[in-house]
Amino acid sequence: MELQGKISLSVGWITLFLMGTDLFVVSPLLPFISEAYQVSTSTTGWMVTVFAVTYAFSAPFFGWFSDKKGRRLFITFGLLLFAISNTLTAFTPSFLWLIISRILAGLSVASITPLIYAIISDIAPPNRRGTWLSIVVSGHLTALWAGAPFGTLLEHFLGWRSVFVVMAAIGAILAVVNFKTWVSIPRSDSTINLLQGNLLRILGSVSVTTIWAISMYTLYVYLGAALYSENRFSSSEIALAVTFYGIGAVLGSLTSGQLTDKFGERKISKATLIFLTLILICLGIFFSSGDWVYFFLFIWALVGYAGFTSYQARLAMEYSKERGIAMAWNNTALYIGITIGSMIGGYVISNWGYSLLPYVCSGAAIVSFILSTQKVQEAKKEYVFSED
């Protein structure tokens, strides 16, 4: 079982690393894709928007259906579709077909990412579920500092289309690996639990993640273009900036696990949102200062993803009987936030330019903190009522 556990975690980590690369690599490639199809950067940002919208609407369906039919089938299907969609992205002749390819990519990732979290939760020892989840989450975040910069450097030598060709090939290989790794998971009773009235409460809780995602992705979606516009960064400098951001994200996620175990999920999730607000203001002040931007991108990701990981742990604690469904909806909430954030970012860029984006993100972080505090109070009330 120990060896099988290591294999399962390795396959889950690599699969989520690829999914993260597909999501995060688009931002630094936007200027080059925009030039190739002769459209504005804000218009090219719709690649991210349609991807996230498709994910947000389809992920709950795959999560629910996998409880009935098994998760391995849909993970394998998703990876095959992932390979097809990225091949289409690489060779599409028009911007319209490029958008269609990203819709298919969003559909494929919706049948992979939340189901990897779910299947890891299913097979993990109960006393180590948090640790196992944090390991596979780190695979997704490692794509920020390894996958995305590698894609940017690959663009520098072979062009941006080569990035999607490589991801398509790896996706096809992982389809076979995942099919042989996972066993079918029997039907759970989470659907019954939702019918008993917990769905609205779960949706209210994951709204915190939606606003958090706005605070992170309103700028990140356009980070490559913003660094080029405000600092005249080259593609290699953009790759270095994304690397700093990605390392901060991974360290923040891993450090958050230890702090959460020591101080509690609620304290850490609230504290990180307060610090996130302040750091985004500092990032706005120093965004055009050249080398200083590397430091603040690192700190931004460190604090931001520490908050995300601690809030996931909080959801796992508060919804222990509906953990799989709660995680699926939390991923949907994340992509809804990415969608809204990319739309807000495009609007801000069109009207005021890139320099205002960090301050908009800071405002979203404040709202996320307020919502998080309200959810804590509601949980306390319910606990006191149950004690009475």
Side-chain angles (χ1 to χ4, degrees):
M1 287 297 295
E2 183 177 351
L3 177 60
Q4 184 61 42
K6 291 180 179 179
I7 293 174
S8 298
L9 284 174
S10 298
V11 172
W13 191 96
I14 294 171
T15 302
L16 289 184
F17 173 79
L18 181 62
M19 299 303 102
T21 300
D22 184 74
L23 171 64
F24 298 129
V25 79
V26 172
S27 175
L29 295 180
L30 283 181
F32 312 106
I33 298 174
S34 175
E35 182 179 353
Y37 290 98
Q38 297 183 341
V39 296
S40 67
T41 302
S42 59
T43 300
T44 313
W46 277 94
M47 290 177 63
V48 178
T49 302
V50 298
F51 179 100
V53 168
T54 304
Y55 185 107
F57 279 98
S58 57
F61 166 79
F62 285 116
W64 172 79
F65 211 54
S66 70
D67 285 337
K68 297 179 175 294
K69 302 297 183 180
R71 311 199 196 282
R72 181 175 62 169
L73 173 66
F74 291 98
I75 292 173
T76 304
F77 159 78
L79 284 163
L80 291 174
L81 182 60
F82 179 87
I84 294 172
S85 62
N86 276 278
T87 301
L88 181 60
T89 300
F91 297 108
T92 180
S94 67
F95 185 73
L96 174 61
W97 276 104
L98 182 70
I99 293 297
I100 293 174
S101 73
R102 300 319 293 167
I103 292 174
L104 294 176
L107 186 66
S108 70
V109 176
S111 66
I112 300 170
T113 301
L115 300 195
I116 290 292
Y117 289 129
I119 206 168
I120 290 296
S121 298
D122 292 335
I123 66 176
N127 61 338
R128 301 195 64 195
R129 184 174 288 115
T131 300
W132 283 40
L133 284 172
S134 68
I135 291 172
V136 293
V137 167
S138 71
H140 194 267
L141 296 179
T142 300
L144 278 168
W145 66 268
F150 175 77
T152 305
L153 292 176
L154 190 62
E155 181 281 328
H156 179 72
F157 292 104
L158 299 176
W160 65 267
R161 298 180 191 274
S162 65
V163 178
F164 296 98
V165 171
V166 171
M167 290 195 296
I170 297 174
I173 296 172
L174 284 177
V176 177
V177 173
N178 274 265
F179 183 77
K180 292 184 176 182
T181 299
W182 309 117
V183 295
S184 298
I185 304 300
R187 175 182 175 180
S188 70
D189 61 351
S190 57
T191 304
I192 299 175
N193 290 331
L194 287 179
L195 294 176
Q196 294 175 349
N198 284 331
L199 178 58
L200 290 179
R201 182 168 172 247
I202 291 174
L203 294 179
S205 295
V206 301
S207 66
V208 175
T209 298
T210 298
I211 308 302
W212 171 89
I214 294 174
S215 73
M216 299 298 291
Y217 289 93
T218 297
L219 171 59
Y220 183 80
V221 168
Y222 301 97
L223 183 58
L227 291 172
Y228 176 80
S229 174
E230 299 296 315
N231 294 283
R232 295 299 172 186
F233 275 13
S234 64
S235 59
S236 60
E237 289 172 322
I238 292 174
L240 180 61
V242 174
T243 300
F244 270 87
Y245 181 94
I247 293 175
V250 174
L251 291 179
S253 179
L254 295 176
T255 303
S256 175
Q258 299 177 354
L259 294 175
T260 297
D261 290 339
K262 185 175 182 178
F263 297 104
E265 298 87 350
R266 293 171 180 168
K267 288 183 179 179
I268 298 302
S269 62
K270 289 199 301 180
T272 52
L273 286 171
I274 294 175
F275 284 111
L276 180 61
T277 302
L278 298 175
I279 290 167
L280 282 166
I281 293 174
C282 293
L283 178 61
I285 296 173
F286 291 95
F287 193 81
S288 302
S289 61
D291 292 343
W292 272 103
V293 75
Y294 294 118
F295 171 76
F296 283 106
L297 287 174
F298 172 81
I299 298 298
W300 172 34
L302 180 76
V303 174
Y305 281 94
F308 177 73
T309 303
S310 64
Y311 195 72
Q312 276 196 316
R314 177 177 163 181
L315 289 174
M317 177 194 68
E318 293 183 351
Y319 299 103
S320 58
K321 295 181 179 180
E322 308 94 0
R323 187 174 288 120
I325 294 294
M327 291 299 161
W329 278 106
N330 195 50
N331 274 264
T332 294
L334 171 66
Y335 277 83
I336 291 174
I338 294 173
T339 303
I340 298 173
S342 64
M343 294 174 69
I344 292 175
Y347 180 79
V348 171
I349 292 170
S350 299
N351 290 276
W352 299 287
Y354 295 98
S355 60
L356 192 63
L357 290 178
Y359 302 106
V360 175
C361 293
S362 179
I366 295 175
V367 175
S368 184
F369 169 75
I370 295 173
L371 288 175
S372 176
T373 302
Q374 290 176 345
K375 299 308 172 187
V376 170
Q377 292 172 346
E378 289 176 8
K380 287 181 178 178
K381 290 179 182 178
E382 291 179 6
Y383 175 79
V384 172
F385 181 77
S386 63
E387 288 292 309
D388 293 340

